[in-house]
Amino acid sequence: HNPSIQFIDKVRKPREEKAIKGFDGSVNKINFVHDVYPLLNGNSIVVSIKEEKPDTADIDFKGRYVETPFAATILSTHATNVATIIAGAGNTDESTRGVAWGAAITSASFNSLLPESDSSYRKFKISVQNHSYGTGIENYYGADAAAYDQSVIQKPDLLHVFSAGNAGDQSSVSGNYSGITGYANLTGSFKMGKSQLTVGSIDSFLNVSPLSSKGPAYDGRIKPELVAFGQDGSSGAAAIVSGIALLIQHAYAELNNHDLPPSDLVRAILVNSADDVDRQGIDFSSGFGNVNAYRAMHAVKAHHYTMGSVSNGSKKTFRIEVPAGSAQLKVTLCWNDLPANPNAKKSLIQDLDLSLQNITTNQQWLPWVLNSSPYLDSLIQLPSRKKDTLNTIEQITIVNPASGTYEIGISGTRLVADQLFAITWQLDSLSTFQWTYPTKSDPLLPSQEHVLRWENFSGTEHGLLEYSLKGGAEWSPISNNVNLSVPWIKFRVPDTVTTILFRMAVNTSSFTSDTTVVAARPFLHVAYLCADSALLYWNRHGINDFVLYKLGEKYLEPKGNTTDTTFTVRAISGSNYFAVAPVVAAGKQGLRSYAIDLNNQGAGCYVRTFLVDKFDDFARLQIELGTLTTVRSVEVQKLTGNIFVTRYHTIPSSALFFWNDSALQKGVNAYRLKVSLDDGQILYSRIESVIHFPDYEFIIFPNPATSSGGITIAARNPEEMKFQLFNTMGKLIIEIGITDISNHISLNKTGSGIFFYRIVQKGVTTGKGQLLITR
């Protein structure tokens, strides 16, 4: 026994939890936040992606990636997807716009499962670190968990967000919950920390994913604390929560002299504003619920929080007013706990207790607590109100609370030092209904199925849903019996180009959505790309106005409007990325095209395609122009001797046309295109050629040849063929195999003079002659 050794663990290899597809920001009200708070984007706040390295050349990170010495060295699609969900700019496509699209991005390698040094987090101003990886099911409080708890103590504004894992249908083989399938299957001991967030996944319809790893933590604490949308796993869910945490930090900093909030306040706001999903109340599948970005921002903006400290044996109290007509009161206490010793049976060190009291009636409430006994029937029980001695997050909810003054109490129990804490609260009003998707910033696609979303505290179970394509003048039914307890419904948008409104009738009230647009997405193409200009074009789809975008320093920037479906870019400089968006009505834009790089579209300078194919006794030329605009004529020119001679002249009526050359000469037949424009400018294509063998098995050219230029041997059938070259004394100076239809042979060591060649195929001489070589 060595007293200096505190903990021994095996080396584990981290794995990315899973690839990410199909981001849906409306599940967590991210679209709603972007619409209500368009300037709230995490600007200048720094997030670290701990795993492999994202693609730093991705245009969705342009101007915002920060290199660090502890970054990973291997690029990963998974890391790129995670970074995109957190902080993508939306340059590639509107679906690549991340939660905190203005945040700076850094990388940290997960080859070390421990946090970076405190000095590193401070130097690069990192305030959120995302961890979307796992090592397999582990049920203990390891040295890594202790290190992450210590990391937050050292830098109180730093929040670590972990994916729960994708082992939700498995069971642990060790620990208190060994053998209980479907529970206690978090993938990594570092996810057992007390001062972090661990996030599970749900689908678009608020169902906890079967493969999303479940709690409890090894000692019975609530894990995961939150869930969020994750199409194929909890990696994307953790990324969403990391992004919303950055928005909370941004909103708080704007109101507090640019200071960042402590991470216990960020955790409290995220937990308290979450929507209950899965079983009623808190549970070991969804924790405190599905994160709600809009309600989180509202808590910050409305200052529905307070912070303080409490000493051992003392109690702090705060009072809030609850108005009449409240549907629910929710209060959450959160604190960052000191790290426990690795392998501690119970990890909580500093124990705080939350209570709530109605001052008028003296009625008192305690937090919701789950039964964490290691039995399946215990783990699935609904929560009960009691003293919590395990968790660093405690929550009290009251349905239909009486109006009046309420006192929030925080007591210090068994504290080894004074303890900082954060409190936040939320009041939901009765008789309210709120549309959250689509907003005015969410264009819809015609003939596509979309999911309409809302929040309902009307106290009514059913409603009448309608839509209008006439600005509210006429309404068409969608359903006369919408179940309002399910906060979404599917709707197939009509095949049209217009504006659209939705209206929900609840009792005697009706609630109308924002006006958004219905329009097909345009697809941008490049007709031609010349040194000084490019012609872009796209499909109209019934639209009469468009906005052209070009990638700027960080984001796509509008460059002007046009009523045409073509746009000529003059004097190309800076970025070569462009996109176009339809404008439907009163400046309302439809879904923007994908951004394209002009250099990667296969477009030439007016000539898009120029191909020459050899047939038995003729060559076929396939010519495709990028555009017919300003094209006066096209000529096919053939190399004759040392000059190109026009063999075919046309004023093309179609961008694609063909010409056959039946007058082939022995050897190389070379062609080019001459394109004449209306302004007198002449453009030439690249040279294309074919080799013609009229009655020969091989052709040697040029002859005479130069020692510096060499010769080319074209063979109809090069199987087992050799080329031999002799000087005038009969000495063999070159022997080389002919392996292809066209073969280049260097003559730089032969000197000049007359030489003799021989072609040998399958041991038989099939051709011979003289070759004159000059210097």
Side-chain angles (χ1 to χ4, degrees):
H1 175 72
N2 186 336
S4 66
I5 299 176
Q6 295 183 343
F7 182 77
I8 298 176
D9 201 354
K10 62 184 179 181
V11 176
R12 297 109 73 209
K13 181 174 177 57
R15 300 183 298 273
E16 299 164 331
E17 296 289 12
K18 209 168 187 181
I20 300 164
K21 296 184 294 186
F23 178 61
D24 184 355
S26 69
V27 177
N28 299 108
K29 313 300 188 290
I30 295 162
N31 67 301
F32 196 23
V33 165
H34 288 170
D35 181 72
V36 177
Y37 304 108
L39 300 180
L40 195 65
N41 63 0
N43 182 45
S44 300
I45 302 175
V46 185
V47 61
S48 171
I49 314 297
K50 191 172 175 76
E51 49 176 285
E52 301 291 14
K53 192 173 188 177
D55 180 3
T56 58
D58 192 313
I59 62 172
D60 286 313
F61 312 139
K62 188 174 187 289
R64 294 182 296 119
Y65 184 81
V66 179
E67 287 287 355
T68 63
F70 45 85
T73 57
I74 300 174
L75 295 182
S76 162
T77 299
H78 184 275
T80 303
N81 288 339
V82 167
T84 301
I85 290 174
I86 296 173
N91 292 329
T92 303
D93 176 48
E94 293 184 37
S95 66
T96 64
R97 188 186 191 193
V99 183
W101 49 274
I105 304 162
T106 69
S107 170
S109 173
F110 65 177
N111 287 336
S112 169
L113 293 174
L114 297 174
E116 278 55 67
S117 66
D118 173 55
S119 61
S120 295
Y121 289 123
R122 292 184 183 279
K123 177 179 179 180
F124 293 99
K125 300 180 180 180
I126 295 167
S127 58
V128 174
Q129 189 168 51
N130 186 86
H131 308 257
S132 290
Y133 54 87
T135 57
I137 298 173
E138 294 174 342
N139 266 309
Y140 58 90
Y141 185 87
D144 42 20
Y148 279 107
D149 283 341
Q150 181 63 33
S151 171
V152 175
I153 297 297
Q154 295 295 114
K155 192 175 188 295
D157 62 7
L158 173 61
L159 177 65
H160 292 283
V161 181
F162 291 84
S163 60
N166 302 323
D169 59 346
Q170 301 176 33
S171 61
S172 177
V173 296
S174 62
N176 294 334
Y177 301 97
S178 175
I180 303 178
T181 301
Y183 285 88
N185 43 36
L186 302 179
T187 56
S189 65
F190 40 86
K191 304 181 182 187
M192 297 293 170
K194 301 167 289 178
S195 304
Q196 59 184 234
L197 288 174
T198 306
V199 185
S201 60
I202 59 171
D203 62 20
S204 289
F205 309 108
L206 310 181
N207 302 301
V208 176
S209 306
L211 296 183
S212 178
S213 289
K214 316 297 191 298
Y218 82 101
D219 56 358
R221 282 177 290 123
I222 296 175
K223 289 280 182 178
E225 291 88 357
L226 293 167
V227 290
F229 175 74
Q231 181 69 23
D232 284 316
S234 57
S235 287
I240 286 174
V241 173
S242 291
I244 298 174
L246 292 164
L247 296 186
I248 292 173
Q249 292 176 338
H250 188 177
Y252 180 95
E254 283 189 339
L255 300 173
N256 292 276
N257 197 31
H258 305 295
D259 292 334
L260 293 180
S263 62
D264 57 356
L265 176 60
V266 178
R267 289 196 295 139
I269 290 173
L270 284 166
V271 164
N272 197 68
S273 58
D275 299 321
D276 187 31
V277 293
D278 205 51
R279 288 189 294 275
Q280 182 179 352
I282 59 175
D283 55 63
F284 291 123
S285 297
S286 64
F288 292 90
N290 179 37
V291 66
N292 185 320
Y294 174 73
R295 287 182 171 270
M297 293 311 107
H298 179 73
V300 179
K301 295 289 187 178
H303 207 287
H304 285 175
Y305 61 86
T306 190
M307 294 174 283
S309 67
V310 65
S311 57
N312 190 42
S314 67
K315 182 177 182 179
K316 289 289 181 69
T317 59
F318 306 90
R319 291 190 173 184
I320 59 174
E321 294 297 322
V322 176
S326 295
Q328 178 178 249
L329 168 63
K330 189 192 299 185
V331 179
T332 297
L333 164 69
C334 186
W335 68 97
N336 292 333
D337 194 20
L338 295 170
N341 292 325
N343 265 345
K345 183 176 180 180
K346 178 182 174 181
S347 64
L348 187 67
I349 303 296
Q350 300 274 88
D351 189 6
L352 301 185
D353 290 307
L354 175 66
S355 62
L356 184 65
Q357 183 177 357
N358 184 320
I359 298 301
T360 302
T361 65
N362 290 324
Q363 185 177 0
Q364 190 171 16
W365 294 266
L366 293 178
W368 293 109
V369 176
L370 290 168
N371 187 342
S372 59
S373 301
Y375 306 100
L376 181 59
D377 57 353
S378 299
L379 299 178
I380 63 175
Q381 288 180 8
L382 295 178
S384 59
R385 299 186 192 271
K386 60 191 293 187
K387 179 182 174 69
D388 189 337
T389 61
L390 282 177
N391 296 283
T392 59
I393 302 176
E394 298 185 5
Q395 186 175 93
I396 295 172
T397 60
I398 307 174
V399 177
N400 299 323
S403 62
T405 303
Y406 286 72
E407 185 174 86
I408 303 169
I410 300 95
S411 301
T413 307
R414 297 186 302 278
L415 302 183
V416 298
D418 289 356
Q419 179 62 53
L420 298 170
F421 63 82
I423 288 283
T424 183
W425 58 90
Q426 177 176 298
L427 284 161
D428 301 318
S429 299
L430 286 169
S431 303
T432 58
F433 180 97
Q434 175 71 61
W435 286 101
T436 62
Y437 184 87
T439 69
K440 62 181 178 295
S441 306
D442 296 312
L444 305 181
L445 292 172
S447 302
Q448 297 293 312
E449 189 173 73
H450 294 264
V451 179
L452 312 181
R453 299 187 189 275
W454 58 81
E455 291 184 345
N456 172 51
F457 292 97
S458 66
T460 303
E461 294 183 358
H462 296 90
L464 167 66
L465 178 59
E466 302 168 296
Y467 72 95
S468 174
L469 304 179
K470 303 287 187 179
E474 298 177 9
W475 292 91
S476 301
I478 297 175
S479 172
N480 61 4
N481 192 29
V482 178
N483 182 0
L484 295 179
S485 66
V486 178
W488 56 267
I489 192 171
K490 294 180 180 179
F491 172 68
R492 184 168 293 279
V493 176
D495 185 11
T496 184
V497 176
T498 187
T499 58
I500 191 168
L501 287 161
F502 298 94
R503 182 172 70 181
M504 185 75 78
V506 181
N507 293 329
T508 58
S509 300
S510 63
F511 303 90
T512 304
S513 72
D514 291 341
T515 300
T516 190
V517 302
V518 178
R521 178 206 293 269
F523 289 89
L524 188 61
H525 306 278
V526 181
Y528 65 78
L529 178 61
C530 298
D532 61 345
S533 64
L535 180 65
L536 312 182
Y537 69 97
W538 54 89
N539 39 335
R540 186 174 289 278
H541 287 312
I543 303 295
N544 295 317
D545 192 13
F546 300 89
V547 179
L548 191 74
Y549 288 85
K550 181 180 180 181
L551 183 61
E553 182 180 350
K554 294 181 180 179
Y555 308 108
L556 283 177
E557 301 169 354
K559 290 300 176 183
N561 285 59
T562 177
T563 57
D564 203 349
T565 57
T566 64
F567 189 90
T568 302
V569 180
R570 304 289 185 186
I572 301 172
S573 61
S575 171
N576 287 309
Y577 283 92
F578 288 83
V580 67
V583 180
V584 177
K588 289 183 175 294
Q589 293 186 19
L591 196 62
R592 197 184 66 221
S593 73
Y594 298 108
I596 63 169
D597 182 350
L598 302 188
N599 293 323
N600 293 333
Q601 305 307 307
C605 189
Y606 276 87
V607 179
R608 176 179 291 274
T609 303
F610 179 36
L611 300 175
V612 182
D613 292 319
K614 172 69 169 59
F615 293 87
D616 287 341
D617 55 357
F618 70 94
R620 168 163 290 183
L621 282 66
Q622 177 179 320
I623 301 150
E624 182 182 9
L625 302 181
T627 180
L628 297 180
T629 303
T630 73
V631 174
R632 177 181 298 172
S633 65
V634 176
E635 299 173 47
V636 176
Q637 296 186 326
K638 184 175 182 179
L639 185 62
T640 305
N642 294 321
I643 62 171
F644 278 95
V645 177
T646 298
R647 295 290 306 278
Y648 175 69
H649 180 281
T650 182
I651 300 174
S653 58
S654 171
L656 177 65
F657 57 97
F658 300 85
W659 179 70
N660 292 341
D661 181 13
S662 300
L664 296 180
Q665 60 193 31
K666 184 184 80 170
V668 177
N669 293 257
Y671 307 87
R672 74 177 183 186
L673 299 180
K674 176 182 177 182
V675 180
S676 299
L677 305 182
D678 289 337
D679 61 2
Q681 185 179 2
I682 295 176
L683 306 171
Y684 293 99
S685 73
R686 66 182 182 273
I687 297 172
E688 295 290 342
S689 61
V690 293
I691 300 173
H692 179 49
F693 305 85
D695 295 307
Y696 307 94
E697 288 297 324
F698 66 91
I699 299 171
I700 298 176
F701 60 91
N703 190 1
T706 62
S707 57
S708 59
I711 60 173
T712 296
I713 301 178
R716 188 195 299 272
N717 177 17
E719 184 181 1
E720 297 184 34
M721 182 179 286
K722 291 188 299 183
F723 169 78
Q724 297 174 339
L725 188 67
F726 303 87
N727 62 18
T728 55
M729 303 296 294
K731 182 179 179 180
L732 178 66
I733 57 174
I734 293 179
E735 183 175 55
I736 190 168
I738 306 303
T739 60
D740 207 343
I741 293 176
S742 180
N743 307 264
H744 180 75
I745 297 176
S746 174
L747 302 176
N748 57 5
K749 295 183 180 180
T750 61
S752 60
I754 297 176
F755 296 81
F756 300 92
Y757 67 83
R758 183 166 60 187
I759 300 294
V760 179
Q761 189 168 25
K762 297 182 180 180
V764 177
T765 299
T766 58
K768 57 185 178 179
Q770 292 183 353
L771 177 64
L772 176 61
I773 302 176
T774 63
R775 292 192 184 277

